């Protein structure tokens, strides 16, 4: 797959945008994943007052995202595609420093993480899809915009991360829900605190 021409078009466009736009893109591509982390914590905390399945999905969301990253990294280490900021002749200079040789390009780990987080959070709280899906798409685009990934890198990252997250959430939701029930009835203070009292104990 060769998306070098589209990569050149996007990076050329990036260089024509105002400085503040480039700065925002640089900040988002480096720090945007932290917002997913905030959403994970918020969802888990709020789920503690809900049924076991809600808690299970909230707990699974960051877990399956981490597993999607592991899967992406495994593919990356196998394919070993060079970064476009070194490989594409005539392309505009990347807005951020080109990763070192050996930090391969395909697929984009950032996009895989964002895709997995977006889908996992949306499955746990469907209304969040209106926020998380655009966030994931913006993360993927930013990786090309700043010049460190090909378009096909980020497309595959989104697909890989989102698919793995959806599959793992479906497979693990039942067993994790049963574990949450066991933890709630265990009488062990840290376990009960972690899983929350559930709806029957709300005041």
């Amino acid at each position: 797959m060769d998306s070098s021409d589209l990569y050149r078009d996007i990076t050329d466009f990036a260089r024509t945008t105002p400085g503040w736009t480039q700065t925002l893109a640089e900040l988002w591509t480096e720090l945007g994943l932290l917002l997913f982390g905030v959403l994970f914590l918020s969802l888990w905390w709020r789920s503690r007052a809900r049924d076991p399945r809600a808690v299970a999905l909230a707990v699974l969301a960051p877990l399956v995202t981490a597993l999607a990253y592991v899967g992406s990294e495994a593919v990356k280490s196998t394919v070993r595609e060079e970064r476009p900021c070194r490989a594409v002749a005539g392309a505009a200079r990347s807005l951020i420093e080109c990763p070192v040789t050996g930090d391969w390009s395909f697929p984009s780990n950032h996009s895989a993480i964002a895709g997995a987080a977006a889908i996992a959070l949306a499955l746990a709280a469907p209304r969040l899809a209106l926020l998380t899906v655009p966030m994931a798409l913006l993360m993927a685009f930013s990786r090309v915009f700043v010049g460190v990934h090909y378009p096909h890198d980020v497309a595959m990252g989104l697909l890989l991360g989102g698919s793995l997250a959806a599959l793992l959430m479906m497979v693990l939701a039942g067993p994790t829900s049963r574990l949450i029930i066991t933890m709630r009835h265990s009488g062990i203070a840290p376990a009960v605190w972690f899983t929350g009292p559930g709806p029957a104990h709300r005041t």
Side-chain angles (χ1 to χ4, degrees), residues 46-51 184 196-203:
R46 297 182 64 181
S47 74
R48 295 167 68 255
R50 300 177 60 195
D51 61 82
R184 278 182 169 173
H201 296 82
R202 294 174 68 182
T203 59

Side-chain angles (χ1 to χ4, degrees), residues 30 69 72-73 76-77 79-86 96-110 143 148-150 153:
E30 296 295 342
Y69 164 74
S72 175
E73 186 62 29
K76 185 189 289 280
S77 299
V79 176
R80 298 166 66 93
E81 175 189 72
E82 186 58 275
R83 294 276 180 167
C85 37
R86 270 189 297 275
I96 63 175
E97 185 177 354
C98 193
V100 298
T101 300
D103 185 352
W104 308 110
S105 191
F106 178 89
S108 162
N109 282 343
H110 279 70
R143 301 304 288 167
V148 295
H149 277 290
Y150 292 102
D153 295 339

Side-chain angles (χ1 to χ4, degrees), residues 8-100:
R8 288 191 192 92
D9 290 341
I10 293 173
T11 52
D12 285 346
F13 167 72
R15 281 292 174 182
T16 67
T17 58
W20 63 266
T21 303
Q22 297 178 22
T23 299
L24 285 178
E26 293 169 25
L27 288 172
W28 176 253
T29 204
E30 296 295 342
L31 302 176
L33 294 180
L34 294 178
L35 184 53
F36 283 110
V38 172
L39 291 174
F40 286 144
L41 287 172
S42 176
L43 181 66
W44 161 70
W45 185 256
R46 297 182 64 181
S47 74
R48 295 167 68 255
R50 300 177 60 195
D51 61 82
R53 182 176 176 82
V55 182
L57 293 176
V59 170
L60 284 172
L63 174 62
V64 302
T65 299
L67 292 174
Y69 164 74
V70 172
S72 175
E73 186 62 29
V75 175
K76 185 189 289 280
S77 299
T78 301
V79 176
R80 298 166 66 93
E81 175 189 72
E82 186 58 275
R83 294 276 180 167
C85 37
R86 270 189 297 275
V88 178
R93 183 171 58 85
S94 58
L95 297 180
I96 63 175
E97 185 177 354
C98 193
V100 298

Side-chain angles (χ1 to χ4, degrees), residues 186-200:
S186 68
I188 301 172
V192 175
W193 175 84
F194 179 79
T195 59

